[in-house]
Amino acid sequence: MDNDRVNSSKLLRVLIVDDHPAVRQGLGMLLETEGITVCAEAGGCAEALARVDEHEPDVVLVDLSLGDEDGFALLNDLRERALPSLVYSMHEDGRRVVSAFAAGALGYVTKREVHGVLAQAIREVAAGRRFVSPRAAVALAQQAVSGQADEAYGELSRQEKKVYHLLGEGEATKQIAASMNISTRTVESYCARILVKLGLEGMSELRRHAISYFHKHTS
């Protein structure tokens, strides 16, 4: 890392909001090695807002899982204060990423990224730019594909929908054929048509999508 980058990074002051003290401590040590100063820590929403008033950080690093409290509500409060927030979360589903940005976050980093990604995200968010980590970007792409497939569901025929539902329940091709009293070749033909209509690639992706759809609409 060059000297100019280190010097500019030292100007950044970050507030860490996470309900696990050990995680906050570990993050603090990690960010210090990147030349980023942790000016304060908080374990919940009210404490975070108090620390914001007291320390005036450049960026607030927010874990969405704050015990009984709602991390999304904190993102909204920070947006109202015009304070840049960056989500640092174990959750890697696209809907949560979308919701975080809708609530006011400027960036989203998953906890399975290498630490250099988090440091880069903090710098970008501090500069007022959006940042999406690699794993979060994949989740967003999958969410987009899933959303398009959900919209195309209405184009399926009655028999195709039945095959799709049985796939979502975890049934194999032979089980579906027996349940519908048709041949396995006919089931495979239905699956091929479903793949085209939903814009999916291969049976593995179709099964994953059907299972996800099944749980989404039965839970």
Side-chain angles (χ1 to χ4, degrees), residues 122-189:
I122 290 172
R123 296 185 183 102
E124 291 295 311
V125 168
R129 294 186 289 266
R130 291 192 179 277
F131 185 93
V132 183
S133 74
R135 287 183 179 275
V138 169
L140 282 175
Q142 291 173 337
Q143 174 70 14
V145 171
S146 178
Q148 291 172 352
D150 284 351
E151 290 179 7
Y153 172 80
E155 299 178 11
L156 301 183
S157 70
R158 182 176 59 82
Q159 289 291 84
E160 289 166 354
K161 286 179 180 178
K162 189 168 184 180
V163 170
Y164 182 78
H165 290 167
L166 292 172
L167 286 171
E169 292 175 3
E171 292 198 9
T173 302
K174 289 183 179 180
Q175 292 174 308
I176 295 172
S179 297
M180 297 179 64
N181 197 28
I182 57 178
S183 68
T184 56
R185 186 178 295 275
T186 301
V187 174
E188 291 168 355
S189 177

Side-chain angles (χ1 to χ4, degrees), residues 27 61-64 85-92 97 100-101 105-125 130-137:
L27 278 175
L61 189 62
V62 179
D63 184 0
L64 295 176
S85 62
L86 169 65
V87 171
Y88 187 54
S89 173
M90 63 178 287
H91 298 291
E92 297 183 5
V97 178
F101 281 112
L106 265 184
Y108 196 109
V109 177
T110 71
K111 288 187 175 180
R112 289 202 294 166
E113 308 285 6
V114 296
H115 70 267
V117 172
L118 178 59
Q120 179 187 1
I122 290 172
R123 296 185 183 102
E124 291 295 311
V125 168
R130 291 192 179 277
F131 185 93
V132 183
S133 74
R135 287 183 179 275

Side-chain angles (χ1 to χ4, degrees), residues 9-15 31-32 35-40:
S9 297
K10 285 185 177 178
L11 298 175
L12 293 180
R13 293 160 48 81
V14 176
L15 163 63
L31 293 176
E32 292 290 346
I36 296 173
T37 300
V38 177
C39 64

